[in-house]
Amino acid sequence: MTTVVYLLEHTVKGLEDSTKMLGIYSKREEAENAINFLSNKPGFRDSLDDFLIDEYEIDKICWSSGFG
């Protein structure tokens, strides 16, 4: 059985060091609920398009080539 998690981040484009790792969720719906909760908070409400949910498989290398 493959286990998948959802990583929620917020990155404001053009701002150095602006990436915030907000949480890791077992369901996409939970990550979306977190976005809804944070969307009216300072630091997030002016950049709603900068939330990102990435899907990852547990115990799997997600980037295995292209180093250098």
Side-chain angles (χ1 to χ4, degrees):
M1 182 172 105
T2 302
T3 302
V4 174
V5 295
Y6 300 89
L7 172 67
L8 175 61
E9 293 181 310
H10 186 264
T11 300
V12 179
K13 291 146 189 76
L15 291 180
E16 194 172 319
D17 299 326
S18 71
T19 299
K20 298 174 188 85
M21 200 282 281
L22 301 171
I24 301 171
Y25 299 89
S26 60
K27 297 178 184 170
R28 178 175 286 277
E29 180 182 2
E30 293 300 323
E32 292 168 351
N33 289 341
I35 291 172
N36 289 334
F37 173 78
L38 294 168
S39 65
N40 66 350
K41 307 285 188 241
F44 300 108
R45 64 177 164 229
D46 295 328
S47 52
L48 297 177
D49 292 335
D50 296 322
F51 285 102
L52 176 65
I53 300 172
D54 282 322
E55 182 178 304
Y56 291 95
E57 286 183 41
I58 296 291
D59 298 330
K60 180 180 177 185
I61 294 175
C62 298
W63 182 14
S64 60
S65 65
F67 304 106

